[in-house]
Amino acid sequence: MNQMTEIKPLTRKDFESDQDVRWCPGCGDYALLAQVQKLLPTLGIPREHFAFISGIGCSSRFPYYMETYGMHSIHGRAPAIASGLKLARPELSVWVVSGDGDSLAIGGNHFIHAMRRNIGLKIILLNNRIYGLTKGQYSPTSEFGKKTKTTPLGSIDRPFSPVSVALGAGATFVARTVDSDHPHLLDTLRRAAEHPGTAFVEVLQNCIVFNDGAYNALADKETRDDARLLLRDGQPMRFGKDGTKGIRMRGFEPEVVTVGEGGVTEADLAVHDESAANGGLAFFLSQFAAPLPVPLGVFRAVEAPVYEQLSTGLADDARAKRGQGTLEKLFNSGDTWTID
Amino acid sequence: MNTQTMAVDEPRVVGGIQKTRPIEEIKSVVIRFVGDSGDGMQLTGNEFSKSVARAGHDFATHPDYPSEIRAPTGTLFGVSGYQIQFSSGEVFTSGDAPDVLVAMNPAALKTNLPDVKHGGMIIANAGAFNKANLQKAGYQSNPLDDGTLTDFRLYTIDISELTAQALKDTGISKKEIGRCKNYYALGLMLCLYSRPLESEEGNIRAKFAKKPEIAEANVIALRAGYAYAESTEMFVSTYQVRAADIKPGRYRSLTGNHAAALGFAAASELAQVPLFLGSYPITPATDILQELSALKHFNITTFQAEDEIAGICSAIGAAYGGVLGLTTTSGPGMALKTEALGLAVMLELPLVITNVQRGGPSTGLPTKVEQSDLLQAVYGRNGECPIPVIAARSPADCFDCAIEAFRIAVKYMTPVIFLSDGGIGNAAEPWRIPDPARLSPLAVKFRTDPEGFQPYARDENLARAWVRPGTPGMEHRVGGLEKNFLTGNISHDPINHERMVDVRAAKVAGIAKDIPPLMVEGPGSGDLLIVGWGSTYGSIVQAREKAALAGKSVAHVHLRHLNPLPHDLGDIMSRYKTVLVPELNLGQLSKLLRERYLRDVIVMSKMQGKMFKVSEIHDRILELC
């Protein structure tokens, strides 16, 4: 490299690999890819410091399309592989791209433990509520009663809320966004990137082939304002076309109210607090189901010790106390004896 | 007991009376301590082994404990044992049959009596032979006085009561007193084998430094046991084993798992590359995780993963990150890791997977030895998925194998399976401490030059380059899908796939060129060749030597490399009329040898969760030549 060359700021182009992107036309994966490629050059991290790790599924082809380091691994195991990488090389920016089956079915164990430990991984879960790569079976997020190739009479599995699972496992950053709202997607990814511990982002995503229209209400400009609740830290929970609808808590029961009707004022509305010490409100939000709107945005963002830093800290402490280990000392420790 | 003895009269004063008692010199002795799993038998055995180590004996141990954490007291299935053989000569096994059995209760006696050498010594804790315990052990009458033990030299001592008496003024609780009786038993044995008390007392005080009153009680119990043996002259004679004729040097006692941990730490230092262990606790491999977890002041990171799969996957992630990736496990854990092993083969990253084998299938015999994961190691994955396999022959050999495993892994950019087993993982033997400066460095090179870089281009060993993420200009993607021969991009091209299958196989087969010529013990050709692998080494060596002394034409070759097999093995086998393969499985190496060399071999199988006795192999040799 010519030393005199000025270091050019990275652009989106720098993150596009030479591989043909092969997702179905109209797949929400494209939106994520575009927004990630747009975000990364703005983070001030050298390109070679990014690593994208994925499992198996449509979304897990993601690393091939990124001109970074990356690994397309095995089903459900991406968080475990990424954890090893991040622990071995804390200076890298390690991202996991996964799907609802990958993260919550076969990889459920690794998923919850990554959340629990608070390893500095950025975990993106593309949730289309269906198995795409295996051509249309129900997933752990498919709705009860869903008819698919393996549930011709309707699913009798109760669905997971990925956000609830993440919160339940103690995640320190949990957010949800939707593939069709590009600015919101980009904003949410940026927040995740800036979070020091495990950052979990659920991306509600359309599967045009096997579950088309799953999130139409959220995507459609006509309906979306009434169907979604955009979470804003410190702000009352308002939504709806003219912003008059809101969420009021009646004890432990949330309800939809209209500001200005029946004596309801803005002061009656629940206020979002993403850094509440107690994550109870975030959990309420994660359980919202019709007729309540779908909350989008950051559910929870709290600071907690970061696993890889704790791990390096233990090593530093051990060295401070015992000195850097040497084989000479190690071999000769314990009970030794000499034969002449 | 090997009684090439020499009587020595040693004048002593006991109770004001000048007495003489012979001290017999013996060559080797096998002692087994048995009791309830809460009786501290592992500790007693361990302490005794330290004592013989300090005396300069060669020794080998065999801890044998139940898989229940603490079975109900007095039951047959709750018996825990620790056997040690020590000698003035070389020791290869913990011994076939105990010369001395120290039995702390009836259940321990009942389960271990069949093993004791005819005419051997039994020291029984008479106090524990009460009605309830006898019943639990299924004895109709008390074996200590009903003639059951007439073929043995029986010593009945109420160890429980004598310990209680010795400690009655210490002020510690009855329960705590009960826990001191193992040191009383140790005291008896130290007297019987003319071992000094002082160093053991030091050990106790160090061990219980935080509980000085318990330390004191144990010291009193130890002395009381010693004094009892001495003053009552309960033993007709005491014994002395001469220091062994061992290579000069500094030694320490190591179990196989401990030795493996030291080997892995050494590999990291020798490679100047940090080590990452991702593991999940499983018997009998857990010790390696524990040992390495205590070495955080080295460049070692340990990660107790959420499961076996995460254990290996985290190690793969670390290996991708450019550190030495390691995972440790045992049989059923190995089964869980197999999918990830396939990924590691596709990624062509260096990785070491240690399997401390135990009885299987499934949960099997978690605390017992078996060698039945060999075929799994060599073949047990989907697809054509070759992985080099090596196995350790003894506790101390685990050190060398740990280094060897990483040497192969980094040179060939491949996962390597290192097989140990419960027979050597927990067993201890003296380890001659090497000079770190004389260990050969592990050559690791990371590629940093982007010029002409192709992720799957290969060197003369067919190994691809190792690139650390963070290296500018070399960003690339790897994955489990078949890759293009050079670029590593996904390729479903049929010819490319076949070429990749071939080259991965050729890479592993090519490791044979690094395997040094095999050492054949015994005649270079003749009637019988024993081909062994792993922890059966000690029993085979001793059996062969015994047969050779009797003029039998029998040789022994022991394999460290199981995949690929050493290039000279076929030729060696062809020089003997018969080939015998003793294994703690149904003949897994035998299968490999037959397949590879198209020659029949005789299977010698044992599937009892126990090591081969020397006599078992010796008998088989005599049948065959």
Side-chain angles (χ1 to χ4, degrees):
Chain A
M1 199 194 293
N2 185 346
Q3 301 240 324
M4 297 303 287
T5 318
E6 206 179 310
I7 297 167
K8 279 196 298 187
L10 293 167
T11 67
R12 181 175 166 169
K13 274 259 167 251
D14 292 312
F15 287 92
E16 292 172 3
S17 79
D18 60 356
Q19 300 294 294
D20 292 337
V21 183
R22 288 189 192 162
W23 284 311
C24 306
C27 176
D29 291 349
Y30 285 99
L32 178 71
L33 181 63
Q35 297 312 315
V36 169
Q37 285 170 340
K38 210 167 152 184
L39 171 71
L40 300 196
T42 69
L43 296 177
I45 299 170
R47 184 177 67 179
E48 64 272 14
H49 276 228
F50 286 103
F52 279 79
I53 312 294
S54 65
I56 297 291
C58 298
S59 57
S60 288
R61 295 290 180 107
F62 196 95
Y64 290 122
Y65 309 134
M66 294 294 298
E67 188 56 19
T68 62
Y69 285 93
M71 185 195 299
H72 176 220
S73 72
I74 42 179
H75 207 10
R77 316 301 173 200
I81 292 169
S83 295
L85 176 58
K86 183 72 180 167
L87 273 170
R89 301 286 308 284
E91 73 274 25
L92 299 177
S93 177
V94 182
W95 295 63
V96 171
V97 180
S98 178
D100 38 319
D102 196 52
S103 267
L104 297 176
I106 190 165
N109 200 29
H110 311 307
F111 179 81
I112 58 174
H113 288 279
M115 303 292 152
R116 169 176 75 89
R117 293 192 183 101
N118 200 32
I119 296 188
L121 305 174
K122 315 301 150 209
I123 302 181
I124 302 169
L125 187 160
L126 287 145
N127 182 9
N128 55 18
R129 310 184 84 170
I130 199 78
Y131 282 179
L133 193 71
T134 49
K135 299 189 173 63
Q137 302 79 27
Y138 75 114
S139 91
T141 54
S142 295
E143 51 278 33
F144 188 85
K146 175 95 176 166
K147 288 191 175 171
T148 72
K149 287 174 183 165
T150 50
T151 52
L153 304 179
S155 164
I156 52 170
D157 283 23
R158 298 164 65 221
F160 260 152
S161 152
V163 168
S164 297
V165 174
L167 288 168
T172 55
F173 180 94
V174 180
R176 179 193 283 153
T177 180
V178 59
D179 59 354
S180 53
D181 187 341
H182 298 175
H184 192 265
L185 176 56
L186 183 62
D187 272 0
T188 312
L189 292 173
R190 182 183 306 282
R191 287 287 310 276
E194 287 163 358
H195 183 73
T198 306
F200 171 65
V201 178
E202 178 190 17
V203 182
L204 303 178
Q205 174 219 29
N206 194 37
C207 173
I208 200 156
V209 176
F210 296 107
N211 203 18
D212 194 22
Y215 300 110
N216 267 357
L218 291 177
D220 192 326
K221 283 208 166 82
E222 286 302 305
T223 55
R224 69 182 194 184
D225 291 334
D226 286 329
R228 66 185 190 178
L229 167 67
L230 288 174
L231 299 172
R232 295 188 180 89
D233 192 34
Q235 299 294 314
M237 295 181 192
R238 298 185 73 139
F239 69 105
K241 249 197 168 75
D242 46 10
T244 55
K245 289 187 189 173
I247 302 296
R248 178 169 71 178
M249 294 301 291
R250 288 245 162 180
F252 292 111
E253 290 301 321
E255 62 177 355
V256 176
V257 292
T258 307
V259 177
E261 280 179 16
V264 175
T265 67
E266 193 177 73
D268 295 320
L269 301 185
V271 174
H272 185 49
D273 179 5
E274 61 185 33
S275 54
N278 176 328
L281 183 65
F283 193 80
F284 270 121
L285 290 165
S286 75
Q287 292 283 302
F288 272 23
L292 295 164
V294 175
L296 298 178
V298 177
F299 286 66
R300 186 159 169 78
V302 290
E303 294 242 342
V306 176
Y307 191 94
E308 66 273 19
Q309 290 169 8
L310 293 173
S311 174
T312 3
L314 291 179
D316 292 344
D317 291 351
R319 279 189 203 104
K321 206 168 152 192
R322 303 170 71 178
Q324 175 71 35
T326 68
L327 291 182
E328 186 70 41
K329 261 200 231 165
L330 177 66
F331 290 174
N332 289 285
S333 59
D335 277 352
T336 63
W337 67 93
T338 304
I339 306 277
D340 299 320
Chain B
M1 210 167 318
N2 190 332
T3 43
Q4 308 166 332
T5 60
M6 167 175 82
V8 182
D9 281 337
E10 186 204 27
R12 288 163 318 123
V13 179
V14 174
I17 307 159
Q18 172 96 2
K19 297 216 169 190
T20 58
R21 181 163 57 173
I23 296 182
E24 286 182 46
E25 186 154 306
I26 51 175
K27 188 165 180 290
S28 69
V29 63
V30 178
I31 302 175
R32 189 185 290 180
F33 297 93
V34 280
D36 257 329
S37 35
D39 278 345
M41 292 298 98
Q42 302 302 324
L43 178 68
T44 309
N46 223 333
E47 292 301 309
F48 193 80
S49 73
K50 280 186 197 163
S51 173
V52 305
R54 284 191 291 267
H57 302 304
D58 195 9
F59 66 90
T61 72
H62 173 61
D64 186 24
Y65 50 89
S67 56
E68 292 79 10
I69 296 299
R70 181 115 351 138
T73 53
T75 56
L76 294 171
F77 55 88
V79 174
S80 174
Y82 190 103
Q83 182 164 313
I84 175 168
Q85 169 160 233
F86 65 104
S87 172
S88 56
E90 246 185 308
V91 172
F92 293 95
T93 72
S94 66
D96 277 10
D99 298 299
V100 181
L101 181 74
V102 181
M104 299 303 280
N105 68 13
L109 177 69
K110 185 152 195 183
T111 47
N112 287 277
L113 189 60
D115 294 341
V116 181
K117 202 172 271 183
H118 191 82
M121 186 186 288
I122 291 170
I123 297 169
N125 174 20
F129 282 69
N130 54 34
K131 204 172 160 191
N133 280 343
L134 288 167
Q135 218 164 22
K136 274 190 236 174
Y139 278 119
Q140 304 297 325
S141 60
N142 190 342
L144 302 186
D145 49 30
D146 68 0
T148 306
L149 305 174
T150 46
D151 288 346
F152 303 92
R153 280 182 289 156
L154 174 67
Y155 296 90
T156 58
I157 310 170
D158 193 341
I159 294 175
S160 307
E161 176 57 25
L162 290 168
T163 306
Q165 271 180 25
L167 299 180
K168 67 179 190 298
D169 297 330
T170 56
I172 64 170
S173 75
K174 209 173 159 188
K175 190 176 165 196
E176 283 165 339
I177 287 175
R179 296 177 66 169
C180 293
K181 63 179 183 295
N182 60 329
Y183 276 105
Y184 192 99
L186 184 62
L188 291 174
M189 298 313 286
L190 293 179
C191 175
L192 181 61
Y193 290 100
S194 318
R195 303 291 318 127
L197 278 176
E198 295 72 23
S199 48
E200 186 53 41
E201 290 178 9
N203 264 11
I204 295 175
R205 293 205 169 94
K207 191 173 182 65
F208 297 95
K210 284 184 185 151
K211 293 180 181 170
E213 72 285 357
I214 300 294
E216 221 32 59
N218 279 322
V219 167
I220 292 170
L222 179 84
R223 282 189 194 151
Y226 195 98
Y228 181 89
E230 178 127 301
S231 59
T232 61
E233 299 191 14
M234 61 176 275
F235 301 119
V236 181
S237 52
T238 57
Y239 303 97
Q240 194 164 23
V241 180
R242 275 194 198 197
D245 186 14
I246 316 178
K247 208 171 163 188
R250 199 160 182 207
Y251 285 81
R252 66 186 285 195
S253 168
L254 281 188
T255 65
N257 283 339
H258 197 164
L262 293 188
F264 291 130
S268 163
E269 293 293 309
L270 295 171
Q272 290 293 295
V273 176
L275 176 76
F276 176 95
L277 167 63
S279 182
Y280 188 76
I282 183 169
T283 304
T286 313
D287 287 345
I288 304 176
L289 170 60
Q290 291 177 178
E291 294 288 347
L292 286 171
S293 298
L295 300 182
K296 298 243 191 288
H297 57 307
F298 283 78
N299 295 318
I300 294 174
T301 303
T302 56
F303 178 62
Q304 183 174 315
E306 56 272 22
D307 61 26
E308 294 284 357
I309 298 171
I312 186 170
C313 284
S314 61
I316 289 173
Y320 180 65
V323 310
L324 298 182
L326 169 67
T327 189
T328 52
T329 191
S330 187
M334 195 66 184
L336 282 164
K337 291 184 197 293
T338 48
E339 186 198 14
L341 274 172
L343 175 68
V345 167
M346 282 301 245
L347 301 180
E348 304 198 38
L349 284 171
L351 179 77
V352 171
I353 304 93
T354 304
N355 177 359
V356 186
Q357 300 164 93
R358 64 189 217 186
S362 187
T363 318
L365 305 176
T367 59
K368 309 291 179 189
V369 63
E370 214 165 271
Q371 295 182 301
S372 48
D373 297 345
L374 178 61
L375 291 179
Q376 181 199 35
V378 175
Y379 293 125
R381 289 165 294 280
N382 69 302
E384 290 290 350
C385 192
I387 295 183
V389 180
I390 63 170
R393 61 172 60 173
S394 75
D397 191 45
C398 288
F399 175 82
D400 296 323
C401 284
I403 298 175
E404 171 72 0
F406 269 116
R407 194 181 300 281
I408 296 172
V410 296
K411 179 170 177 185
Y412 292 90
M413 291 291 283
T414 177
V416 175
I417 294 174
F418 163 30
L419 295 175
S420 172
D421 65 44
I424 54 178
N426 290 325
E429 70 176 353
W431 177 60
R432 190 161 173 270
I433 300 171
D435 176 358
R438 301 188 71 161
L439 297 172
S440 33
L442 272 176
V444 173
K445 49 179 192 291
F446 292 106
R447 180 163 175 159
T448 53
D449 179 11
E451 193 59 40
F453 170 63
Q454 299 271 26
Y456 274 74
R458 294 164 192 282
D459 68 8
E460 67 280 9
N461 296 315
L462 301 178
R464 74 182 192 95
W466 200 4
V467 178
R468 294 172 85 238
T471 313
M474 298 177 79
E475 292 87 348
H476 66 282
R477 276 67 54 194
V478 294
L481 286 168
E482 184 59 284
K483 352 215 55 68
N484 174 274
F485 193 78
L486 285 175
T487 64
N489 290 331
I490 300 174
S491 169
H492 293 314
D493 176 67
I495 300 303
N496 177 74
H497 174 56
E498 187 160 272
R499 195 178 175 200
M500 286 298 268
V501 168
D502 286 341
V503 79
R504 286 188 290 259
K507 178 171 85 165
V508 171
I511 295 168
K513 68 180 183 289
D514 288 353
I515 304 175
L518 287 165
M519 295 270 293
V520 180
E521 295 293 332
S525 61
D527 292 339
L528 179 66
L529 174 71
I530 304 174
V531 180
W533 71 280
S535 68
T536 53
Y537 176 73
S539 312
I540 298 173
V541 167
Q542 291 205 301
R544 190 208 69 83
E545 283 179 353
K546 204 171 155 193
L549 281 176
K552 299 293 176 189
S553 161
V554 51
H556 170 207
V557 63
H558 211 76
L559 304 181
R560 165 176 288 182
H561 298 85
L562 282 315
N563 191 39
L565 288 164
H567 45 73
D568 52 351
L569 179 59
D571 177 48
I572 292 169
M573 281 169 48
S574 71
R575 302 201 296 258
Y576 299 85
K577 281 188 215 140
T578 309
V579 174
L580 173 69
V581 185
E583 298 180 84
L584 302 174
N585 58 47
L586 290 180
Q588 299 194 5
L589 177 62
S590 306
K591 278 197 176 77
L592 292 178
L593 297 179
R594 285 176 182 145
E595 174 221 346
R596 170 77 184 271
Y597 302 105
L598 299 178
R599 117 146 245 183
D600 197 19
V601 299
I602 294 175
V603 176
M604 180 174 182
S605 166
K606 181 168 178 174
M607 300 292 295
Q608 301 168 11
K610 290 180 174 175
M611 303 291 281
F612 278 113
K613 288 182 178 175
V614 174
S615 59
E616 289 169 336
I617 296 177
H618 183 247
D619 290 350
R620 195 75 184 100
I621 295 172
L622 297 190
E623 284 166 23
L624 292 169
C625 69

